[in-house]
Amino acid sequence: MHEMSVTESMLGVVLRHAQRNRAGKVTAINMVLGEFSTVMPESVQFYFDIISKDTIAEGADLNFRRTKLIAKCETCGDEFEVVEYDFTCPGCKGEKSEIISGREFQVESIEIS
Ligand SMILES: [Zn+2]
């Protein structure tokens, strides 16, 4: 039920924004989804169709922009793109790194009419 709750909070954000802008209808929702996020776009779409019923966001297009997995090396501070789950720093070959981007799931913008 993970996607159910993230979709609910996503819709909450969208509706708050739409109300603040006095929107009559939400036509599209643009989201950022990290490559490493466990959120499945298909599931978000599935739950969205159910819970957006009878709201002004009903029928809105859901667009997902995937972001790359970026890690920061704890040894030398380099930021690098993680390819195929290889977290080895390309600069110093250090193996201790922290994910700084790629796990997010958030609303980037909405389109209203
Ligand atoms: Zn390094």
Side-chain angles (χ1 to χ4, degrees):
M1 294 304 276
H2 171 60
E3 269 96 350
M4 178 75 185
S5 58
V6 298
T7 307
E8 271 175 346
S9 61
M10 178 272 276
L11 180 62
V13 168
V14 167
L15 292 178
R16 269 200 305 280
H17 272 285
Q19 266 160 11
R20 215 173 294 149
N21 292 291
R22 300 180 204 288
K25 185 125 189 64
V26 178
T27 54
I29 303 167
N30 302 313
M31 284 159 285
V32 178
L33 182 61
E35 190 177 49
F36 211 53
S37 169
T38 53
V39 175
M40 305 287 289
E42 312 82 75
S43 305
V44 172
Q45 179 79 61
F46 174 79
Y47 289 119
F48 180 81
D49 289 346
I50 297 169
I51 63 175
S52 68
K53 251 197 173 7
D54 301 322
T55 72
I56 59 168
E58 184 178 353
D61 289 328
L62 303 188
N63 302 313
F64 296 91
R65 184 168 69 83
R66 306 302 297 242
T67 55
K68 301 231 174 284
L69 183 56
I70 306 292
K72 183 178 177 150
C73 174
E74 285 182 14
T75 311
C76 72
D78 254 14
E79 289 175 13
F80 58 95
E81 185 189 329
V82 177
V83 181
E84 289 173 0
Y85 304 111
D86 180 5
F87 285 89
T88 310
C89 171
C92 71
K93 305 291 172 204
E95 284 178 4
K96 271 199 156 170
S97 56
E98 156 192 34
I99 293 173
I100 57 169
S101 166
R103 271 183 167 154
E104 57 273 79
F105 171 64
Q106 62 195 53
V107 178
E108 191 168 45
S109 63
I110 62 173
E111 288 159 36
I112 55 178
S113 64

